[in-house]
Amino acid sequence: MSELLKVEHLHKEFDKNVVIKDMDLTVKKGEVVVIIGPSGCGKSTFLRCLNGLEEIQGGSITVDGSLVEPKKKDIIKIRQKVGMVFQSYELFPHKTVLDNIILAPMKVQKRNKAEVTKEALELLEKVGLSEKKNFYPRQLSGGQKQRVAIVRALCMHPEVLLFDEVTAALDPEMVHEVLETMIELAKSGSTMLIVTHEMAFARAIADRIVFLDQGEIVEETDKVKEFFDHPQTERAQKFLKTFTFDE
Amino acid sequence: MDIKVLIDYLPLYKEALLLTLKIGWLGILAALVIGIAGAAILHFKIPVLKQIFGVYIEIFRNTPLLVQLFFIYFALPKIGIKISAEMCGVLGLGLLGGAYMIETFRSGLESIAKIQTESALSLGMTKGQVLVHIILPQALSISVPGILANLIFLLKETSVFSTISLMDLMFTAKDLIGMYAKTIECLFMLVVFYLIMLLPVSIIGSIIERRVRYAEFGD
């Protein structure tokens, strides 16, 4: 499998405050990489660097052979290859579900409206929301909004999808429907980078686990089940312990 | 109250209304243009212009329109800048309204969370596309109630024009009272004509306000 995303010696700081230090990561086509770690460890910032929402202070990020540089014009092309789904959905509140989805394919990729609409409806059908196509975001539940946000990202045909704690703002009963959608995506061969606090989900979907703490990769393994049952490092052990309770 | 007097004065009031409307709407148009340009300058923090607009807003929001008009109409000619009374009215109203409109448009722009921009950028949109398709539509609809309040406020402020001898509604009423002492009739017509001018703005405004509610946030 070919390398889709390559991060080398990534260094990121906010006003001298180092958030990510000397990080390396490679993601191959079709791989599902789950990034876990305590709050403030740099997970979300790391994702935001990957599509150029954050400037980096050192190292390099390459997507499908092109360098991610937020200030360069090329960033527009790279962002089309890197879809992103946010914790707070970030649908456009003044547009209907369908218009949310077809806006960027039409304006950015200059695709034909009829063709994009057809694809959007097919994707909505897949996530069980085709009857909501003319609704406004405020009329949807959190879980529905998040599935629309996933469809919106998919409709751009990205090479890789970034998920930034996409279930963190959801009620428990809605978490499931969103995670199901993501598991379907993983099965269909999508390349995904997922930041999550849902450990059972991470265990189910991940091809590889990356455990991040204080801006560095502490543990990285493709033996996913083994990681959750017997983490190698002390820091990972301590972190995973916070998800269990003594009876 | 003498109905005959009312009918006699009607043409004079009609003329005054038309003049008030003309100057009022020209001034408001100027205010909207200044407002949008100024809000963009402040929002995108364009250097130098930002400071100039900051000073301008403070001067015009913190002095009465009457004082501004007197300054433009009576003081500026002393240094060689002579402006007609009508032009002075448009200018005064435009500059005062502009200062208020800037703040109204700006609060709309600023109420849109940064992450909306990021979510649009992450779909590959350019900054211009984000502004046109995502930020402006939301910001404008949030600004609508404020814009309407400004419109009504500015149209009412036109009553100050009488002090620079513009023959607006207020001037006509005062003039007629001075000449014929039909105080009740003149003031009654004054109230009615202001209502004729402003009620449609209020009513159409609240219809527009309801129409743009769709852009509101909330789950």
Side-chain angles (χ1 to χ4, degrees):
Chain A
M1 279 196 280
S2 59
E3 282 171 6
L4 194 57
L5 186 106
K6 199 171 173 66
V7 177
E8 287 175 299
H9 305 296
L10 175 62
H11 182 83
K12 164 79 196 164
E13 54 185 52
F14 291 111
D15 303 323
K16 301 263 155 70
N17 198 349
V18 180
V19 188
I20 295 166
K21 42 195 156 191
D22 198 23
M23 188 162 155
D24 293 299
L25 187 76
T26 306
V27 180
K28 295 188 198 111
K29 206 167 165 39
E31 233 185 340
V32 177
V33 176
V34 175
I35 304 169
I36 59 172
S39 295
C41 70
K43 312 182 290 282
S44 292
T45 307
F46 174 64
L47 283 195
R48 291 165 55 83
C49 291
L50 299 182
N51 68 350
L53 286 180
E54 298 285 350
E55 303 246 0
I56 61 174
Q57 280 71 46
S60 67
I61 300 166
T62 322
V63 174
D64 207 14
S66 14
L67 212 54
V68 177
E69 290 167 299
K71 288 252 161 84
K72 296 268 171 72
K73 255 197 149 177
D74 254 10
I75 192 71
I76 301 291
K77 288 202 190 95
I78 293 170
R79 282 181 180 145
Q80 293 175 48
K81 294 182 186 173
V82 186
M84 187 161 191
V85 185
F86 296 83
Q87 177 179 339
S88 46
Y89 337 114
E90 297 312 323
L91 297 178
F92 307 130
H94 59 302
K95 292 191 177 292
T96 63
V97 165
L98 187 61
D99 287 339
N100 259 280
I101 300 168
I102 66 175
L103 178 69
M106 280 167 55
K107 298 292 173 194
V108 177
Q109 296 175 326
K110 312 285 179 213
R111 281 156 64 190
N112 171 281
K113 183 173 182 180
E115 177 254 329
V116 184
T117 305
K118 186 167 166 279
E119 186 185 353
L121 291 177
E122 280 166 14
L123 288 168
L124 277 176
E125 179 76 49
K126 269 191 197 164
V127 299
L129 288 174
S130 49
E131 77 278 17
K132 304 279 186 197
K133 64 177 182 196
N134 293 325
F135 281 48
Y136 282 95
R138 67 162 194 278
Q139 298 168 301
L140 304 180
S141 73
Q144 292 170 334
K145 278 189 242 189
Q146 201 56 294
R147 282 181 284 158
V148 172
I150 292 172
V151 168
R152 185 174 70 176
L154 282 176
C155 213
M156 292 292 287
H157 305 152
E159 301 280 334
V160 52
L161 278 163
L162 312 177
F163 293 88
D164 187 8
E165 296 194 39
V166 292
T167 59
L170 294 177
D171 290 336
E173 64 265 36
M174 288 168 184
V175 169
H176 201 75
E177 63 190 49
V178 172
L179 297 185
E180 283 286 322
T181 305
M182 290 167 67
I183 287 175
E184 285 302 313
L185 275 178
K187 279 188 193 153
S188 69
S190 300
T191 314
M192 298 157 80
L193 244 88
I194 304 168
V195 165
T196 185
H197 283 296
E198 303 282 339
M199 291 305 140
F201 165 70
R203 190 184 171 126
I205 200 171
D207 294 323
R208 183 147 44 106
I209 288 281
V210 173
F211 174 65
L212 218 62
D213 192 14
Q214 292 174 349
E216 15 182 36
I217 295 178
V218 178
E219 209 168 322
E220 182 183 352
T221 175
D222 49 11
K223 298 190 175 71
V224 174
K225 295 207 166 45
E226 227 176 275
F227 170 80
F228 283 106
D229 294 335
H230 308 287
Q232 298 296 305
T233 61
E234 202 180 309
R235 279 200 269 178
Q237 285 164 13
K238 228 174 120 190
F239 173 70
L240 286 175
K241 231 181 153 197
T242 60
F243 291 92
T244 57
F245 297 94
D246 295 325
E247 283 168 49
Chain B
M1 197 155 40
D2 191 344
I3 303 290
K4 195 179 166 301
V5 172
L6 296 184
I7 295 167
D8 280 350
Y9 289 174
L10 207 57
L12 290 171
Y13 274 87
K14 218 181 86 189
E15 215 165 292
L17 174 71
L18 291 178
L19 181 79
T20 310
L21 279 176
K22 186 178 124 197
I23 297 173
W25 285 107
L26 280 176
I28 283 166
L29 200 68
L32 286 170
V33 172
I34 296 173
I36 292 173
I41 285 166
L42 293 185
H43 184 70
F44 295 106
K45 302 192 171 65
I46 296 166
V48 187
L49 282 178
K50 190 188 103 182
Q51 278 82 10
I52 293 173
F53 270 83
V55 172
Y56 153 67
I57 289 170
E58 292 312 325
I59 290 175
F60 279 85
R61 281 206 312 180
N62 295 307
T63 51
L65 180 60
L66 184 63
V67 174
Q68 295 163 16
L69 287 180
F70 271 28
F71 191 85
I72 298 172
Y73 195 64
F74 297 114
L76 288 187
K78 305 273 181 223
I79 55 166
I81 305 170
K82 213 163 162 21
I83 303 169
S84 73
E86 281 193 24
M87 192 58 208
C88 174
V90 172
L91 201 64
L93 203 62
L95 287 171
L96 172 78
Y100 279 86
M101 291 291 187
I102 288 175
E103 291 299 332
T104 307
F105 283 122
R106 195 170 68 116
S107 68
L109 280 174
E110 249 134 64
S111 67
I112 313 300
K114 198 171 151 237
I115 194 164
Q116 274 279 308
T117 300
E118 292 178 342
S119 126
L121 285 177
S122 76
L123 287 163
M125 289 191 210
T126 61
K127 281 182 182 159
Q129 286 173 327
V130 176
L131 189 68
V132 171
H133 298 294
I134 309 302
I135 305 303
L136 280 185
Q138 292 185 56
L140 282 179
S141 73
I142 287 170
S143 306
V144 161
I147 294 169
L148 287 170
N150 285 349
L151 286 189
I152 292 169
F153 157 72
L154 290 172
L155 282 175
K156 283 195 286 196
E157 281 295 294
T158 56
S159 60
V160 178
F161 289 163
S162 60
T163 56
I164 53 167
S165 359
L166 264 173
M167 288 167 71
D168 73 330
L169 285 170
M170 192 71 202
F171 184 92
T172 303
K174 279 200 288 194
D175 206 30
L176 286 171
I177 293 170
M179 285 193 290
Y180 308 109
K182 301 278 184 198
T183 312
I184 298 175
E185 287 83 354
C186 286
L187 290 180
F188 175 72
M189 284 182 83
L190 186 60
V191 171
V192 171
F193 269 81
Y194 269 110
L195 286 175
I196 291 174
M197 179 163 77
L198 283 155
L199 274 180
V201 180
S202 282
I203 293 165
I204 295 168
S206 49
I207 293 171
I208 295 174
E209 222 176 298
R210 244 174 287 142
R211 290 282 314 258
V212 297
R213 280 279 158 80
Y214 65 83
E216 260 180 22
F217 285 85
D219 297 52

